[in-house]
Amino acid sequence: MPPNMHCTQSSHLLTALLTPTRTTTSPPAFLLPAFAQTSPFSSSTPCSARKDHNRNRGVSALRHTGLGKNQRLSVRLSNLPQPVLDPLRRSVVKVDENHGLWGFFPKERTRISTPEESNMHGRAWTVQELRGKDWDDLHRLWWVCVREKNRIATTEVERKRLGGRFGMYGDHESGQRVAEVKGTMRCIKFVLTERWYAWENAREAGMEDPEVDLYADVEGGERAYLPQEEGEETLSLGSEDDARTDPTQRLPPPVESTVSSEARVRV
């Protein structure tokens, strides 16, 4: 023992040297990334309270948290309008009788139609009937069907609102009415498709016809149809057939028979 070492220090040193040390074992290799993780498990930022000194913080109509003792509103209860419960004292609101929104309601201008009113409808237009209509009539009929579909959809929403979970009467009649309206719209599309194909075929035929000028300015006085003259021939046959079709060449005169009339009688 060194001469300058205190007896207490020497005893502590002997205890540390004589005490067996605990063997340290390292964790398995697949657990090393877990020990090396320094970031928190959650990727979200830590929630910290906002200190913006807002007195209305925490006021919510959904959570029924009202105003505090020191909070005041700019509107007083005495200044709020009061509902008029007496029908005689209510003011009459002027409504335009020809307003476009009336098209979403029945003709009687009620909320919903009765099943009898919904069932009073005709059949759908057929393709044969629509083929005789011009473009303007088909356009007007199409938008009449669109408005009828919107009216039926509005009535359906109101019926579900009033009927609740169990529904309300009139679903079957409204479904039949919608089916007739959709049938008319389907036939209109079919007729317009037919006309488009007919126009496309006529355009292709006009492009191949030399007597038709599709690019002529008809409004400017140009002619779209240019018929050829009578003497012009568009067909050109082969060289062997030119002599046969040449109008300038005449047929050879018939050969006179040398047989006499008496021989013909005898035969």
Side-chain angles (χ1 to χ4, degrees), residues 54-80:
N54 187 3
R55 294 183 178 181
N56 295 327
R57 180 71 62 193
V59 178
S60 174
L62 300 178
R63 301 181 181 276
H64 304 284
T65 55
L67 300 176
K69 296 181 180 180
N70 299 327
Q71 293 176 342
R72 296 292 183 271
L73 296 178
S74 60
V75 179
R76 299 181 180 273
L77 296 177
S78 58
N79 298 333
L80 295 178

Side-chain angles (χ1 to χ4, degrees), residues 1 12 31 55 61 64 76 95-96 102 143 149 156 193 205 207 229 248 255-256:
M1 182 177 65
H12 284 290
L31 293 179
R55 294 183 178 181
H64 304 284
R76 299 181 180 273
V95 181
D96 187 7
W102 286 118
W143 285 109
K149 283 184 59 178
E156 188 70 18
T193 305
M207 293 290 293
E229 298 180 0
T248 58
V255 179
E256 296 182 359

Side-chain angles (χ1 to χ4, degrees), residues 61-155:
L62 300 178
R63 301 181 181 276
H64 304 284
T65 55
L67 300 176
K69 296 181 180 180
N70 299 327
Q71 293 176 342
R72 296 292 183 271
L73 296 178
S74 60
V75 179
R76 299 181 180 273
L77 296 177
S78 58
N79 298 333
L80 295 178
Q82 299 296 328
V84 180
L85 302 179
D86 189 4
L88 300 178
R89 298 178 54 188
R90 295 176 183 173
S91 59
V92 180
V93 179
K94 295 182 179 180
V95 181
D96 187 7
E97 297 295 331
N98 298 325
H99 199 279
L101 292 178
W102 286 118
F104 293 92
F105 295 91
K107 295 182 179 180
E108 294 78 11
R109 297 184 178 180
T110 55
R111 286 188 176 181
I112 58 176
S113 301
T114 61
E116 292 77 10
E117 294 174 353
S118 299
N119 200 26
M120 295 174 59
H121 60 83
R123 60 171 178 82
W125 285 74
T126 61
V127 176
Q128 291 76 12
E129 295 172 346
L130 295 175
R131 282 172 179 167
K133 301 293 183 181
D134 58 356
W135 166 257
D136 294 334
D137 291 342
L138 293 178
H139 187 266
R140 284 192 291 266
L141 183 59
W142 174 267
W143 285 109
V144 167
C145 294
V146 171
R147 186 179 63 179
E148 184 66 17
K149 283 184 59 178
N150 292 338
R151 189 191 66 80
I152 296 175
T154 304
T155 306

Side-chain angles (χ1 to χ4, degrees), residues 27-33:
F30 64 89
L31 293 179
L32 291 178

Side-chain angles (χ1 to χ4, degrees), residues 147-221:
R147 186 179 63 179
E148 184 66 17
K149 283 184 59 178
N150 292 338
R151 189 191 66 80
I152 296 175
T154 304
T155 306
E156 188 70 18
V157 172
E158 185 68 14
R159 185 183 294 108
K160 291 181 179 180
R161 187 185 68 84
L162 296 177
R165 183 179 60 181
F166 301 99
M168 201 174 179
Y169 57 86
D171 293 338
H172 178 69
E173 290 78 7
S174 297
Q176 289 182 340
R177 195 180 186 94
V178 171
E180 299 297 337
V181 174
K182 290 183 177 180
T184 300
M185 300 176 74
R186 185 164 51 250
C187 291
I188 293 175
K189 287 183 178 180
F190 185 85
V191 171
L192 293 178
T193 305
E194 280 186 341
R195 294 183 181 181
W196 185 87
Y197 278 112
W199 175 82
E200 184 68 16
N201 295 336
R203 187 185 67 83
E204 293 179 358
M207 293 290 293
E208 299 176 357
D209 193 350
E211 297 182 354
V212 178
D213 186 8
L214 297 179
Y215 302 99
D217 187 7
V218 181
E219 298 180 356

